[in-house]
Each structure stands twice: as C-alpha cells, then as structure tokens.
Amino acid sequence: KRTKVADLLKDSSLIGTEVEAKGWVRTRRGNKHVQFVQLSDGSTIKNIQIVFDMAKFSDEELKPVTTGSSICVKGMLVESQGKGQTCEVQAESLKVYGTADVESYPLQKKGHTLEFLREIAHLRPRTNTFGAVLRVRSALAFAIHKFFNERGFQYLHTPLITASDCEGAGAMFQVTTLDLNNLPKTEDGKTDYSQDFFGKPTALTVSGQLEGELGATALGEIYTFGPTFRAENSNTPRHLSEFWMIEPEMAFYDITDNMDLAEEFVKYCINYALEHCIDDITFLQDMYDKDLIERLKFVVENDFVRLTYGEGVKILEESGKKFEFPVHWGTDLQSEHERYLVEEHFKKPVILTDYPKEIKAFYMKQNEDGKTVRAMDVLFPHIGEIIGGSEREENYDKLLARIEELDIPMKDMWWYLDTRRFGSVPHSGFGLGFERLVLFVTGMTNIRDVIPFPRTPGKAEF
Ligand code: 4AD
Ligand code: MG
C-alpha cells in the first residue's frame, strides 16, 4: 500500500486520494496549529511534505518525530500551497517505527563536510548528497548492462580468487587459509602452501581480463563487471583498494574498433545518466560543481582526440610547463601530465595509444617498431585515466617471448597461452574503472565519496 515519494510527487492521478507514505524525517517545523515534516524515502532527491493539523494530533504524539526518525503517515495527497513543492500529504494517522535521539543522531539538519561524512560512512547514505550519488551509481550500473546487452555481448563472471597477476604489478592481496601467525615451512624455509586450502599462493584478482579473453575467444564478445582489488599503498582521490571494473573483451576487434567502442560506451553511460538522473545531477551541480551538466554534455557531444603517447609526450615537453615529475619518452605519465593534455591543451577527452612496452602489461600487442605496444588509455577532464585497454598479442611466439623476458612463471600462464595455440584470433578489450566514471558523472572530487563503503589502505570497517 505504501507509495514511494518519487511517485507521490510525479503521479498527478494520486492527488485527491488517500495515500500511505513511509520514510525518514528530515526536518520538522511549525507552530501550535500546524506542523510540517519533510519526509525522505530514498526514492528521489526530493522530500514529500507532511502537514499535521494540530487540532487532530497532540504534541505528545509528534514528540518522537525528530530528524532521523522513521514514520508511516496515512492521509490525503493534496496540491500544495507552499513554495517549492507540488503536493503534500495531510496527515490523518501517524505511526513511528523508530526514534532517533536528537543528542546523538549525527545527521542533524545542518550541512556536514564530506570529510566528516566519511567518518560516518555507515549513515551517510541518508544524506541528500549520498542519496544522489548512490542513485546515479545504480543507474550507471544498469546503463552498462543495457549497453552491452543491446549489442549482443555476454556477461561473463570471472573469478575473484586467482593465482595470476594480470597487470604484473605485484600489488595483490593474498588469500590463504593458513594461520598467519604460524605459517608452515618447507625444508628450504619457504611458506609451505601445499597445506593451504588452495594448495598454492592465491590472491584477490586485480582484473578479470585474462579469463575475459578465454570468454571472448569462445563467445565472441563478452564483458565482465565486478570487484577488483589493488594492494598498492596509494592514498589519492582517484585510487581505491577495492573498486569495480567493467572489462569488455572482443574477438576480431583491432585497436581502432576498441577505441570506437570505448568512446561510444562512455558517452552512452553519461547520456543515460543525464536522461534518467537529472534531478540528482542538478542537485550535485548546485551543491558542488557549477559546470557539471555543461561538462557532461560537452563530452557526449564531441569527438575524443586520438594521438600516440609519443605525440603526447612531445606536447608535454614543448608546453614549457613545470611538472612535479619531469616527462620524456619512456616515462609513465602521471596524473598531472594526463590532466594537462586533457584540461589545458586539448580541452577534450583524449585517447593516447602506442605506449612504450616497458610501462605496459605483458599481454599487449607489440608494434613493428619493437618499442611500443598497441595500448590505449582514455583520459578525462577532472579524472585523468578513466579507461585502460589494448589490442592483445595474439601471436603465440611473440607472447611467449614477452612472458619469458618478463620472467612470468610459465606454470601460471600455460592455460592463457592455449588461447594462442588453438584458434588464435586478433582481439582487444579495455577496463573502465567504475568509480572513476561515477566521479565524472557526479562531479564529486574524491573517489571515497562515490562508493558506498570505500576500502582504502587501513580502512575496512563499514
Ligand atoms: O589500467 P588498468 O590497470 O587496466 C587493467 O586492469 C586491464 N586489465 C584492463 C583491460 O584491458 N581489460 O585498470 C583499468 C581502469 C583504469 O583505467 C582506472 O579507471 C581503473 O581501472 N583503476 C582504478 N580505479 C580505482 N582505484 C584503483 N586503484 C584503480 N586502478 C585502476
Ligand atoms: Mg592503466
């Protein structure tokens, strides 16, 4: 029987009918004749106003109706006389589910800083800001599935527990059933993993790509969408220890097809959010970022710039700008370099390709020059790298040589090499960092504020 606040405010056929609203009280104000409650139920950024005619209710009955308490109200939905709302509920009955003590409930009326809200991440979903961010996040997740589903991609579930380090960065969280305080040793003093449940060193995955390639070389076009883990001690506004990644992998795609798909994909997601979450995005724009909607529209409406890493480095070298980290051919680009290209030089999203092979992962397709690989990073204003991807090395001998060159243990890789031994095909894929997309669309500036319960170095409770 409950009608959600979003529907109460939207469905004009409900006006003049008896409705039941349930939610959490944001504020209560008024006088001895009439009391007004702003009620939120999370279905929209907007509140529904509940009007209590104090001829029908006692002060005692309304006493527990304080900020944060949860209530059920039945009454007539009527057009509102007040400014800023279309309709309101004239309360006829009230039930209080749970009270919230005024002294101890941390989310009293006044605005709180984002830093403070991070300390109470268990309650912050109840604020306007986090309600808006989490609804946008949910809509974007749906848009991602919709995009791939409409194009005939299969959703492939890849494992979280793995023995292989896809990115080769050695930044993995170990998973073990062994007693860490009493690790069994082999004769030569190493940890004896044979007694472990998995029988070998295992870790949480940094990427679903390697298994994604197994899927793509069977089903044609797949995508993954799941949590990934990085045990780097990075305390930046762009890094999490646990983040969600979307990784499409496509047989018969070369690097250009890959770039085309990546560009179409992010534009589709941003557009979807603009079409379905405009109330939330407008709220976030008013609160935090005056140019947000203009920036989102600009990205959707304009082509991304495409150039090689080498051309990018040349622009950086010739910019005359003093970077904290000096840049020359061969260096890995830092966030400051990426943002210079995107925000100051081109003023557009940029796709950089053909990076030096030394700074990229082993699986990328090697170019004829012997120096670069067919990598592509998509760089966004305010974010830096939002997507990383490549065409994959499909030649068995070249891939094997690279694996040996990098000293990657063969015993971990034979199954991956089988994709190149049996019916190898050109193929490509990329990974989109989901929180970086949510950052861009919401205009938030810290990645901790776009995931409900962030995991960063040293942070693991709620
Ligand atoms: O560039 P990365 O490391 O690429 C891969 O993992 C490939 N296996 C993807 C592929 O080709 N299938 O990560 C991809 C994206 C980055 O561009 C970034 O958006 C995001 O994942 N990312 C992170 N997001 C939040 N916190 C971190 N620590 C992240 N590391 C990467
Ligand atoms: Mg990358």
Side-chain angles (χ1 to χ4, degrees):
K1 272 203 278 134
R2 164 193 172 214
T3 308
K4 291 189 188 186
V5 172
D7 298 323
L8 291 173
L9 295 172
K10 198 168 59 192
D11 182 354
S12 57
S13 75
L14 291 171
I15 291 185
T17 69
E18 177 89 4
V19 295
E20 190 174 290
K22 298 183 180 187
W24 294 267
V25 172
R26 282 298 166 79
T27 59
R28 176 159 72 88
R29 64 182 176 85
N31 52 43
K32 62 180 193 294
H33 305 296
V34 62
Q35 289 279 314
F36 300 99
V37 164
Q38 294 295 327
L39 191 70
S40 157
D41 71 355
S43 59
T44 159
I45 186 78
K46 293 178 180 146
N47 302 322
I48 184 86
Q49 173 158 281
I50 315 285
V51 185
F52 290 91
D53 175 354
M54 293 310 282
K56 294 185 194 163
F57 292 88
S58 67
D59 288 349
E60 204 52 34
E61 272 175 285
L62 257 72
K63 211 167 162 201
V65 181
T66 57
T67 298
S69 64
S70 48
I71 62 171
C72 169
V73 173
K74 282 187 210 169
M76 185 78 82
L77 188 70
V78 298
E79 274 181 50
S80 175
Q81 312 299 318
K83 269 209 323 250
Q85 67 244 345
T86 51
C87 56
E88 63 195 22
V89 176
Q90 279 173 345
E92 275 141 36
S93 76
L94 164 72
K95 179 178 162 184
V96 177
Y97 290 116
T99 57
D101 177 50
V102 178
E103 295 303 315
S104 50
Y105 184 59
L107 296 172
Q108 295 300 332
K109 197 172 152 189
K110 67 180 170 60
H112 297 287
T113 64
L114 294 169
E115 287 77 13
F116 171 73
L117 293 176
R118 265 172 236 146
E119 314 265 297
I120 52 161
H122 61 304
L123 291 174
R124 69 179 184 172
R126 298 186 183 194
T127 62
N128 280 331
T129 294
F130 285 88
V133 168
L134 295 178
R135 279 185 298 272
V136 172
R137 182 179 167 109
S138 174
L140 284 170
F142 181 74
I144 287 162
H145 286 296
K146 192 164 170 334
F147 175 86
F148 288 117
N149 185 267
E150 284 168 0
R151 282 155 188 77
F153 283 58
Q154 307 298 326
Y155 179 27
L156 185 77
H157 295 108
T158 50
L160 301 187
I161 297 178
T162 180
S164 37
D165 181 359
C166 174
E167 295 307 299
M172 300 181 90
F173 288 102
Q174 293 244 142
V175 175
T176 182
T177 55
L178 298 175
D179 177 358
L180 291 178
N181 296 317
N182 190 15
L183 288 170
K185 300 281 182 222
T186 57
E187 272 168 22
D188 53 2
K190 295 198 174 128
T191 303
D192 182 4
Y193 282 101
S194 68
Q195 295 181 42
D196 188 58
F197 180 67
F198 297 102
K200 60 156 119 183
T202 357
L204 294 177
T205 193
V206 297
S207 158
Q209 178 195 322
L210 301 183
E211 294 86 0
E213 289 183 55
L214 304 181
T217 52
L219 300 167
E221 292 164 329
I222 64 92
Y223 69 104
T224 73
F225 187 173
T228 46
F229 306 87
R230 307 264 166 123
E232 308 152 346
N233 196 1
S234 309
N235 289 286
T236 83
R238 304 277 176 270
H239 289 88
L240 289 164
S241 306
E242 175 181 302
F243 65 99
W244 288 66
M245 184 150 58
I246 299 96
E247 295 183 272
E249 190 71 32
M250 297 75 62
F252 316 112
Y253 273 49
D254 66 12
I255 182 87
T256 308
D257 302 325
N258 204 23
M259 286 192 278
D260 291 346
L261 183 76
E263 182 167 343
E264 190 191 348
F265 172 50
V266 273
K267 286 178 172 173
Y268 179 99
C269 294
I270 296 167
N271 227 352
Y272 186 91
L274 281 169
E275 280 172 14
H276 293 85
C277 309
I278 196 65
D279 287 350
D280 288 321
I281 293 174
T282 303
F283 169 83
L284 293 166
Q285 166 164 280
D286 294 345
M287 282 290 288
Y288 301 104
D289 184 344
K290 298 288 163 260
D291 307 318
L292 179 58
I293 294 174
E294 198 187 322
R295 189 159 68 242
L296 297 180
K297 288 193 170 151
F298 181 83
V299 166
V300 171
E301 285 161 11
N302 287 280
D303 288 344
F304 297 0
V305 178
R306 299 179 184 189
L307 70 160
T308 65
Y309 163 92
E311 290 163 336
V313 165
K314 199 149 172 276
I315 292 170
L316 292 166
E317 283 174 329
E318 287 168 2
S319 69
K321 185 144 172 135
K322 265 237 151 308
F323 294 111
E324 193 188 331
F325 294 91
V327 61
H328 53 83
W329 203 96
T331 50
D332 206 355
L333 297 185
Q334 304 293 323
S335 168
E336 54 170 342
H337 307 130
E338 297 174 341
R339 293 184 64 166
Y340 174 83
L341 289 174
V342 173
E343 289 165 20
E344 294 181 51
H345 188 83
F346 290 109
K347 300 190 166 61
K348 271 181 170 192
V350 168
I351 310 184
L352 279 189
T353 58
D354 304 287
Y355 282 72
K357 65 176 184 208
E358 285 74 20
I359 58 172
K360 289 291 180 189
F362 74 96
Y363 50 72
M364 296 192 181
K365 187 174 173 70
Q366 297 159 42
N367 280 320
E368 306 299 306
D369 63 10
K371 291 195 308 195
T372 59
V373 287
R374 256 170 241 185
M376 52 163 242
D377 277 9
V378 181
L379 313 179
F380 257 43
H382 284 243
I383 305 294
E385 180 189 335
I386 195 164
I387 284 178
S390 74
E391 189 171 337
R392 316 307 188 190
E393 182 56 76
E394 85 269 18
N395 180 289
Y396 179 87
D397 295 322
K398 283 193 188 163
L399 184 59
L400 182 63
R402 190 72 184 131
I403 287 175
E404 283 170 350
E405 214 176 340
L406 292 172
D407 259 337
I408 301 170
M410 256 322 281
K411 66 175 182 8
D412 295 341
M413 279 299 145
W414 64 271
W415 54 272
Y416 180 70
L417 280 160
D418 269 4
T419 54
R420 279 63 168 176
R421 281 178 70 205
F422 307 120
S424 186
V425 286
H427 63 288
S428 300
F430 62 82
L432 168 74
F434 185 48
E435 284 74 22
R436 297 201 184 166
L437 175 68
V438 184
L439 265 181
F440 184 71
V441 173
T442 58
M444 303 302 281
T445 50
N446 192 313
I447 201 162
R448 293 165 182 78
D449 298 333
V450 296
I451 184 164
F453 309 107
R455 283 349 184 198
T456 47
K459 172 80 180 68
E461 71 286 349
F462 61 81

